[in-house]
Amino acid sequence: MLNQLVETKLAAMSSKPQTTRNRITGVVHLPGGQIILLDTPGIHPARSALNQMMVKTSVSTFRDVDVIVFMVDAQQGFRETDSFVFDSMEKVTAPILLALNKIDRASKHDLLSVIAEMDAKKRFAEIIPISALHADGLDILSKVILNYLPEGPPYFPEGMITDSPEEFLIAEIIREKLMNLTRMEIPYASAVKVESVIRRPHASLRIDAVVYVEKLSQKKIVIGENASMLKKIGKNAREEIEKRFGDKVYLNLFVKVKSHWSENLPDLKELGYTHDIH
Ligand SMILES: Nc1nc2c(ncn2[C@@H]2O[C@H](COP(=O)(O)OP(=O)(O)OP(=O)(O)O)[C@@H](O)[C@H]2O)c(=O)[nH]1
Ligand SMILES: [Mg+2]
């Protein structure tokens, strides 16, 4: 939804839960105003220090916003995982809009029954069916969001869609490719850090990045036989970075073991996972 509204892939996407780990800002410039979207990690029962940090990031964002968009899959309906998020908003005073997503996959019956179920909760200021994938209903959603925003001067200059540094955006592209190409615990044991981005003559970029995993066995999987997996991740990432930044990209990817990085606060901080946003 964020990516469609800002017309740029800012947030990594995958079919695996807990893809988003940081709060990502996306600015939507509309004739009637500016929407500053704060995309947050999913709120879930968190065990590791990383996951606890993610949930803290999300919950602390409740205090910073004028309106919340709560999203439920229209086909799957309101599940236990949604109920966990819903309960976390108990004390929230900001108006909550309900976006029923993936209507491209939901039948009329699915949609009507989820609307009835959610309406009965008497918690949502509006219910808006959308398909983020097909950008269906997003014009309505953005109009509704604008209605809930206070008047004021624009926070971001025209044309600026995020405040995330280039290194972060590139690391997220690499992490998305890795998450989509690997299975089991690998996506969750991996973090990506961009060490340097050097602009060279003839519009080319040289990027050095490291994939951190927690064990040697995971490093072997991420590299793959004859480095086939690492090459695939690198190729997919490079193509998207080139599309996004419009330059020829030389991407040097390394894989390193950092034991227990997802449990270790200094490691989390070094990898860009902190919840001290302010
Ligand atoms: N069919 C369909 N798929 C969608 C739609 N919107 C998102 N998806 C898919 O749903 C999956 C999850 O999307 P994400 O953007 O990673 O979801 P998220 O809510 O940000 O999840 P986390 O970051 O993991 O908390 C991806 O495979 C998307 O392609 C939609 O409108 N229709
Ligand atoms: Mg996400």
Side-chain angles (χ1 to χ4, degrees):
M1 189 193 98
L2 172 93
N3 293 343
Q4 287 282 18
L5 284 171
V6 300
E7 295 172 5
T8 309
K9 169 97 88 60
L10 291 180
M13 294 188 301
S14 88
S15 58
K16 300 175 178 87
Q18 276 83 57
T19 298
T20 300
R21 290 178 180 167
N22 304 79
R23 185 163 107 176
I24 301 165
T25 301
V27 187
V28 191
H29 300 268
L30 297 165
Q34 188 169 88
I35 303 172
I36 302 164
L37 291 170
L38 305 176
D39 182 26
T40 48
I43 296 170
H44 63 285
R47 281 194 303 264
S48 72
L50 168 68
N51 289 63
Q52 286 175 25
M53 184 285 308
M54 286 159 56
V55 172
K56 245 184 199 166
T57 299
S58 302
V59 173
S60 72
T61 300
F62 287 152
R63 283 183 278 118
D64 301 335
V65 298
D66 298 302
V67 58
I68 291 164
V69 181
F70 176 63
M71 192 184 281
V72 169
D73 184 319
Q75 186 205 13
Q76 301 274 336
F78 186 72
R79 290 175 292 176
E80 214 176 301
T81 47
D82 301 310
S83 172
F84 191 85
V85 185
F86 183 82
D87 292 346
S88 75
M89 302 190 297
E90 201 184 320
K91 294 202 176 77
V92 165
T93 51
I96 305 172
L97 313 180
L98 174 67
L100 293 172
N101 190 30
K102 306 194 186 179
I103 54 166
D104 53 287
R105 288 215 300 224
S107 68
K108 213 172 265 178
H109 175 266
D110 293 335
L111 189 58
L112 290 175
S113 70
V114 72
I115 288 174
E117 183 186 358
M118 300 311 283
D119 192 44
K121 295 190 184 298
K122 305 251 175 283
R123 188 67 174 99
F124 305 107
E126 317 256 357
I127 299 179
I128 307 116
I130 63 165
S131 166
L133 184 67
H134 298 296
D136 199 5
L138 293 185
D139 47 344
I140 299 171
L141 177 65
S142 51
K143 269 191 203 126
V144 174
I145 293 174
L146 268 186
N147 285 339
Y148 285 86
L149 301 185
E151 262 184 58
Y155 279 58
F156 286 87
E158 198 62 43
M160 184 168 173
I161 56 162
T162 190
D163 55 6
S164 293
E166 193 175 66
E167 284 80 8
F168 172 79
L169 296 170
I170 292 170
E172 285 291 275
I173 293 172
I174 300 165
R175 198 171 61 82
E176 182 192 76
K177 305 312 168 199
L178 183 146
M179 282 205 72
N180 280 297
L181 284 166
T182 58
R183 309 181 297 126
M184 317 283 279
E185 92 275 18
I186 304 295
Y188 300 102
S190 303
V192 179
K193 186 159 187 241
V194 168
E195 300 280 355
S196 66
V197 180
I198 302 167
R199 291 212 137 72
R200 299 194 300 191
H202 311 298
S204 76
L205 281 182
R206 186 212 148 108
I207 299 165
D208 288 291
V210 181
V211 176
Y212 287 101
V213 289
E214 301 200 291
K215 295 176 190 163
L216 188 61
S217 58
Q218 296 161 348
K219 175 175 171 171
K220 284 182 182 155
I221 294 170
V222 171
I223 293 174
E225 214 169 316
N226 301 318
S228 58
M229 177 57 85
L230 195 61
K231 279 184 195 156
K232 231 186 266 173
I233 295 167
K235 178 176 180 286
N236 291 359
R238 180 178 53 74
E239 286 171 357
E240 188 165 325
I241 299 165
E242 286 179 342
K243 247 196 341 210
R244 173 91 162 80
F245 295 93
D247 292 321
K248 177 126 191 64
V249 168
Y250 297 90
L251 176 60
N252 286 319
L253 262 187
F254 301 92
V255 186
K256 291 185 187 169
V257 176
K258 206 189 253 298
S259 335
H260 306 296
W261 67 260
S262 69
E263 293 293 354
N264 183 316
L265 293 182
D267 285 345
L268 287 176
K269 198 165 176 200
E270 201 203 316
L271 293 168
Y273 301 126
T274 51
H275 65 266
D276 42 65
I277 299 163
H278 302 289

